[in-house]
Amino acid sequence: MGILHKVYSWTRQRVPEIYFRAVHASRLFSKRFFTLSVTGHINLDPTFGLDEKRAIDRGNAAPDGRRYSKYHTLDWAEVPPSIKQAIKNYDSVIRMFLGDDYLINDGLVWRNYSIPEQYRGSELFSQHWHYDKVVDFRNIQLFVLLGDVTEDDGPFEFVSNPDEYHILPSVLDRNNQNLTLDIRKLTGKRGDTLLFSTGSTPHRAGIPAEGRYRDIFSIAFFPAYTKIGRSSKDLLSQG
């Protein structure tokens, strides 16, 4: 009787625990599209911004032949110390999502201009909803506002409640200009930051109002197996 009682007691306690652990693990495994959205603020050198002499056209040409976005890259040595410190502060979070020796790509400084109404149906600078599928959906970016951004400045927009289990085909195909989901916008002051899962969360560039533009800095992080960028351990140890 003593052995039977022990077996019964073990079964009563352990079987439900094993079952619920298995269900939990299954749900976590099926979450292909994790969402990361962390806001912050840093103090930027007042001289840091778009270098118009280095900037080149970006995106598709409109029917008028013009491109409505420009950018230039920054190597690690050119990235401001305050942004490097922000990356160090987020290092443990990024490692949790991408692995210990994740990679850091070159920095980018972007400027988006207003698009004439008649051209907005064509995607000119990522203003349609999309995922940043590069090698796969596992990549993250840190965005830094390079000026005060309001609704009129075409803020970066992202879905705050995406489906973490199923991809949205229209977003993957970049042919969806509007989504009936909860949307957030990256408005705020110069130096405001957003660490964001660009690979797995629908997002788009807003369109500035006529006569306005929006400047932003971004730097992307990738898993080591993608071979995109340089070792985070090496770069962050340099300061």
Side-chain angles (χ1 to χ4, degrees):
M1 291 298 292
I3 294 176
L4 290 176
H5 178 75
K6 289 180 180 180
V7 170
Y8 171 76
S9 178
W10 183 92
T11 303
R12 183 179 179 184
Q13 294 178 35
R14 298 301 182 186
V15 170
E17 178 184 356
I18 293 171
Y19 169 77
F20 287 114
R21 284 181 179 269
V23 170
H24 178 66
S26 175
R27 287 176 178 171
L28 287 178
F29 182 76
S30 65
K31 281 191 176 186
R32 297 177 58 202
F33 307 107
F34 67 83
T35 299
L36 178 66
S37 173
V38 183
T39 57
H41 182 85
I42 61 176
N43 294 317
L44 283 174
D45 184 307
T47 64
F48 179 67
L50 182 80
D51 184 343
E52 297 195 52
K53 294 180 180 179
R54 295 171 60 182
I56 60 176
D57 287 339
R58 165 183 172 256
N60 299 316
D64 63 0
R66 181 183 170 186
R67 285 179 168 81
Y68 288 85
S69 182
K70 62 175 60 175
Y71 80 102
H72 65 79
T73 61
L74 295 175
D75 63 33
W76 184 253
E78 297 177 287
V79 175
S82 58
I83 295 179
K84 291 179 179 178
Q85 184 59 52
I87 296 171
K88 290 180 181 179
N89 293 344
Y90 287 132
D91 179 59
S92 60
V93 176
I94 301 172
R95 283 191 287 108
M96 181 174 66
F97 283 100
L98 301 182
D100 280 342
D101 197 15
Y102 65 90
L103 305 178
I104 303 177
N105 207 10
D106 288 338
L108 298 169
V109 180
W110 314 85
R111 173 172 292 177
N112 291 343
Y113 296 94
S114 178
I115 299 175
E117 190 68 36
Q118 66 268 31
Y119 302 148
R120 295 187 179 187
S122 300
E123 187 173 31
L124 302 183
F125 57 56
S126 302
Q127 81 272 19
H128 291 185
W129 292 104
H130 62 281
Y131 303 98
D132 285 357
K133 184 181 179 184
V134 183
V135 172
D136 52 22
F137 296 96
R138 296 184 65 215
N139 55 77
I140 294 169
Q141 288 195 51
L142 176 66
F143 295 99
V144 183
L145 298 184
L146 299 183
D148 295 351
V149 175
T150 69
E151 291 274 353
D152 291 334
D153 298 303
F156 176 83
E157 302 179 15
F158 59 98
V159 174
S160 62
N161 62 335
D163 188 330
E164 295 179 317
Y165 299 94
H166 304 287
I167 196 168
L168 296 174
S170 64
V171 176
L172 183 61
D173 295 338
R174 303 176 76 108
N175 62 13
N176 195 330
Q177 297 180 55
N178 295 290
L179 293 177
T180 56
L181 298 170
D182 290 339
I183 306 301
R184 292 180 61 189
K185 299 182 180 183
L186 183 56
T187 58
K189 299 293 184 181
R190 175 180 166 86
D192 284 352
T193 66
L194 174 67
L195 183 68
F196 181 72
S197 48
T198 46
S200 57
T201 307
H203 62 282
R204 68 177 178 182
I207 302 174
E210 184 176 358
R212 302 177 77 100
Y213 60 82
R214 186 209 67 191
D215 288 354
I216 197 168
F217 169 89
S218 69
I219 190 165
F221 313 102
F222 295 92
Y225 61 78
T226 64
K227 303 186 185 303
I228 302 174
R230 299 166 61 188
S231 166
S232 56
K233 290 181 179 179
D234 291 345
L235 293 181
L236 296 180
S237 66
Q238 296 175 18

